Amino acid sequence: MRRFSPAGDPGTPDARSATRYLVWLAGRHPVYFGGGITLGVIWMLAQALVPAAIGRAVEAGLAQRGPDALLRWALVLLGLGLVQAGAGILRHRCAVHNWLGAAYRTVQVTVDATNRLGAALPRRVAAGEVVSIGTSDIEHIGSAVDITARGTGAVVGIVAVSVILLDASLPLGLVVVLGVPLLMALVSLLIRPLHHKQAAYRESTGRLTARAADIVSGLRVLRGLGGEPVLAARYRERSQALRADGLRVARVESLLQAAQILLPGVFVVLVTWLGARYALRGEITAGQLVSFYGYTAFLVSPLRNLTEAADKLTRGHVAARRVVRLLRLAPEFTDPARPLPVPAGPGELVDVRSGLALRPGRLTALAATAPQDAAEIADRLGRYADGDVTLHGVPLRDVALATVRERILVADNDAQLFSGVLRAELDPHDRADRATVEAALVAASATDVVEALPGGLDGAVAERGREFSGGQRQRLRLARALVADPETLILVEPTSAVDAHTEARVADRLGAARRGRTTLVCTTSPLMLGRAEHVVFVEDGKVVAEGRHEELLATEPRYAATVSREEDR
């Protein structure tokens, strides 16, 4: 799929970039988009010519008593009806295709953008923003592309009627030619305030959705702390503010809806009144009068289509601005212009800033006086934060990101469980056999979690794994990392939420499960540190001591103090 790339700086988009995005969407399906406009024009022209055919039939067939002419114009009227029906059906089919294409193409490019942002997404975009794009914005964007067929047909229909009326009666033609732009100018007075109020309402919706997501994800903690009433009151306050914004939008929209009926109605009354006066004065024939009545009735449809098009294009423009804002966000890390190859097989992974060097094929534990220091080192090793890190002596910043992700896996407690079958959750790429998955569950001491789940490995996992406790989710995340079996696995506090007995089992089994592979465990747990082949102690972001757990306890007081704090908890 070709990616939408608006020009300019990757900041807040201007109106021009939102328009380009809508044009880009329309260009993705040129046959259906062009066909919809062509059929919309034919559909509206067929309707516009019906009053002329009726007028000719009345004048030639009834007023002049010509049965042959009456039959001929009746057949013309039938043909116009058939063309109108056929073109209307096909136009609607194209319009639905354009709506679906624009809406779900937006979903695709949004997902593509979130994938490109990767781990930076939560720091750059609120969850509610992405949800709002996938729920409300796609509808408005699809409608904006859909309405182009009817809007174009309405313009052509009004032009055709104006030409016909100018030919029949110059004053009536001028009323249409001058009246339609005047009506659209009056409607445009409502479009600008509607645009601003819809943008404000959209901003409020995104913020409230993000707050709701935060409350739902942290509801258990909120109840434990007694903070549920406070958050509920704040949410209620924000919800009422959103309601007020929605009412302000509704007021302008109600005026626009009223204008869609009132202004065309006034216009029709004016044209009908003028036509009747000209007929009474003998300036137009009876057939022309009937045609004028038909034109006035016909003009209601294109005029309403034009005002509807203005409304939907405004909504689509507001929604497109939100989408473009997301698409213009650049990922924190991109592939180098000329990626360097990395030798195959396990190699030494070195973080120059901290002085940490991971020897290949060894289980290493990292204990830090400050947990954030360990997390920062893990992020640098996994290329989630910039740093001087080398693998096989090759700087990671000069290696393709896909290669880094394939060879180095960082598993921390921010990782989520997704809804679906547990087996697919543990092995998303479906590369491992059942024995490998079961061995990973044993190493993570998570077999009891699977046994308690109805259906076992084939059982369904709810959103975010909410049916599991914190310790159960942590063990399943560890099992998923072990199933992936990367060349280098970095685990950040993998047992912080489990009891001591479970932690001891995990510590005993992890080394065997990762034998021959490079593994780094960031932890201050004595159980995990005691099972590691090598322990690195970090203070103020720097490696200050290395060795076996027992050696460091005996020779490094700062290490002993850090581990003792963990034991006292």
Side-chain angles (χ1 to χ4, degrees):
M1 179 183 65
R2 188 176 63 186
R3 180 177 296 159
F4 172 72
S5 301
D9 297 330
T12 302
D14 56 12
R16 194 161 48 93
S17 59
T19 302
R20 283 201 302 269
Y21 177 71
L22 293 175
V23 173
W24 177 82
L25 285 176
R28 299 302 297 159
H29 303 279
V31 174
Y32 282 96
F33 184 75
I37 291 178
T38 302
L39 291 167
V41 170
I42 295 173
W43 172 66
M44 194 61 74
L45 279 177
Q47 295 182 61
L49 294 176
V50 166
I54 293 176
R56 293 294 183 90
V58 169
E59 188 171 344
L62 297 180
Q64 300 178 8
R65 299 185 181 278
D68 294 338
L70 179 61
L71 178 60
R72 183 170 59 254
W73 284 109
L75 292 176
V76 170
L77 187 61
L78 175 62
L80 290 174
L82 293 176
V83 170
Q84 176 186 344
I89 293 172
L90 295 176
R91 178 205 56 79
H92 182 69
R93 183 178 181 85
C94 290
V96 171
H97 187 281
N98 291 332
W99 190 99
L100 294 173
Y104 291 103
R105 180 71 64 175
T106 297
V107 173
Q108 289 177 331
V109 297
T110 301
V111 171
D112 183 52
T114 57
N115 287 335
R116 285 189 292 109
L117 290 171
L121 177 66
R123 298 191 295 269
R124 308 284 292 279
V125 183
E129 185 71 14
V130 181
V131 172
S132 295
I133 289 175
T135 54
S136 62
D137 288 343
I138 62 170
E139 178 182 354
H140 299 319
I141 290 172
S143 297
V145 177
D146 160 29
I147 197 62
T148 53
R150 281 187 292 143
T152 305
V155 172
V156 173
I158 291 173
V159 171
V161 169
S162 300
V163 172
I164 294 173
L165 289 178
L166 282 171
D167 181 64
S169 173
L170 183 61
L172 286 177
L174 290 175
V175 168
V176 176
V177 171
L178 300 177
V180 171
L182 178 62
L183 292 181
M184 296 311 301
L186 293 175
V187 170
S188 66
L189 296 177
L190 300 173
I191 296 300
R192 184 174 294 275
L194 179 63
H195 194 159
H196 293 307
K197 294 183 186 303
Q198 284 177 342
Y201 179 72
R202 175 61 180 77
E203 293 279 355
S204 299
T205 302
R207 289 194 296 267
L208 188 64
T209 304
R211 179 173 290 271
D214 290 341
I215 292 175
V216 171
S217 61
L219 190 58
R220 180 181 298 180
V221 177
L222 288 174
R223 286 177 173 172
L225 297 175
E228 187 178 2
V230 177
L231 267 295
R234 291 178 182 175
Y235 182 84
R236 189 178 299 110
E237 180 182 350
R238 292 290 183 88
S239 178
Q240 290 303 313
L242 177 64
R243 175 176 172 271
D245 289 340
L247 288 175
R248 282 189 283 270
V249 174
R251 291 190 188 100
V252 181
E253 287 183 340
S254 64
L255 292 175
L256 184 61
Q257 293 290 333
Q260 290 180 0
I261 298 174
L262 176 63
L263 295 180
V266 172
F267 186 72
V268 166
V269 169
L270 175 61
V271 174
T272 303
W273 179 74
L274 289 175
R277 287 180 59 86
Y278 290 146
L280 291 174
R281 292 205 300 253
E283 297 180 14
I284 58 175
T285 64
Q288 289 177 321
L289 178 61
V290 172
S291 297
F292 289 160
Y293 284 135
Y295 291 136
T296 55
F298 162 76
L299 284 174
V300 173
S301 175
L303 289 174
R304 292 195 63 179
N305 279 328
L306 281 181
T307 53
E308 182 184 356
D311 181 28
K312 288 187 174 181
L313 287 173
T314 299
R315 291 171 178 265
H317 198 272
V318 172
R321 288 171 63 93
R322 309 293 301 185
V323 175
V324 170
R325 182 177 300 176
L326 173 64
L327 299 183
R328 293 178 66 142
L329 291 176
E332 291 180 337
F333 303 105
T334 57
D335 285 335
R338 295 182 177 179
L340 296 179
V342 181
E348 190 174 56
L349 184 63
V350 179
D351 176 36
V352 177
R353 184 184 304 179
S354 65
L356 173 66
L358 295 182
R359 288 176 53 186
R362 187 167 65 174
L363 174 61
T364 304
L366 186 151
T369 54
Q372 63 267 26
D373 289 340
E376 289 173 1
I377 292 173
D379 285 343
R380 290 199 297 269
L381 292 174
R383 191 72 174 125
Y384 292 105
D386 193 29
D388 294 325
V389 180
T390 62
L391 176 62
H392 278 290
V394 180
L396 285 189
R397 58 166 59 101
D398 295 331
V399 179
L401 276 175
T403 302
V404 176
R405 300 287 179 259
E406 180 182 356
R407 301 184 67 166
I408 303 173
L409 173 62
V410 179
D412 57 23
N413 289 319
D414 290 333
Q416 296 290 343
L417 295 177
F418 301 98
S419 58
V421 178
L422 179 59
R423 169 66 184 273
E425 175 65 24
L426 298 177
D427 183 21
H429 300 291
D430 195 23
R431 296 172 181 169
D433 55 25
R434 190 178 186 89
T436 301
V437 175
E438 291 176 348
L441 290 169
V442 171
S445 190
T447 53
D448 60 317
V449 181
V450 178
E451 291 170 357
L453 183 68
L457 281 173
D458 296 323
V461 178
E463 180 188 4
R464 294 175 178 261
R466 61 175 180 268
E467 70 268 58
F468 303 123
S469 67
Q472 289 175 328
R473 288 196 296 270
Q474 193 172 54
R475 286 182 281 160
L476 290 175
R477 287 195 292 264
L478 175 58
R480 180 171 60 187
L482 294 175
V483 170
D485 194 28
E487 180 182 293
T488 300
L489 175 61
I490 300 171
L491 301 171
V492 181
E493 297 290 352
T495 57
S496 59
V498 302
D499 58 78
H501 296 290
T502 303
E503 186 176 29
R505 289 194 297 268
V506 173
D508 289 336
R509 299 167 183 173
L510 183 60
R514 290 288 298 169
R515 184 172 291 114
R517 296 289 205 178
T518 306
T519 307
L520 175 66
V521 182
C522 299
T523 181
T524 53
S525 165
L527 290 171
M528 297 296 295
L529 293 169
R531 304 312 194 275
E533 300 175 62
H534 187 71
V535 178
V536 178
F537 178 54
V538 173
E539 187 176 47
D540 295 330
K542 302 290 185 180
V543 174
V544 295
E546 297 184 61
R548 298 283 298 184
H549 172 61
E550 297 80 7
E551 298 172 358
L552 292 177
L553 282 176
T555 60
E556 180 53 69
R558 293 170 295 180
Y559 175 81
T562 300
V563 175
S564 297
R565 287 198 302 269
E566 179 68 22
E567 288 180 320
D568 293 339
R569 289 178 183 176

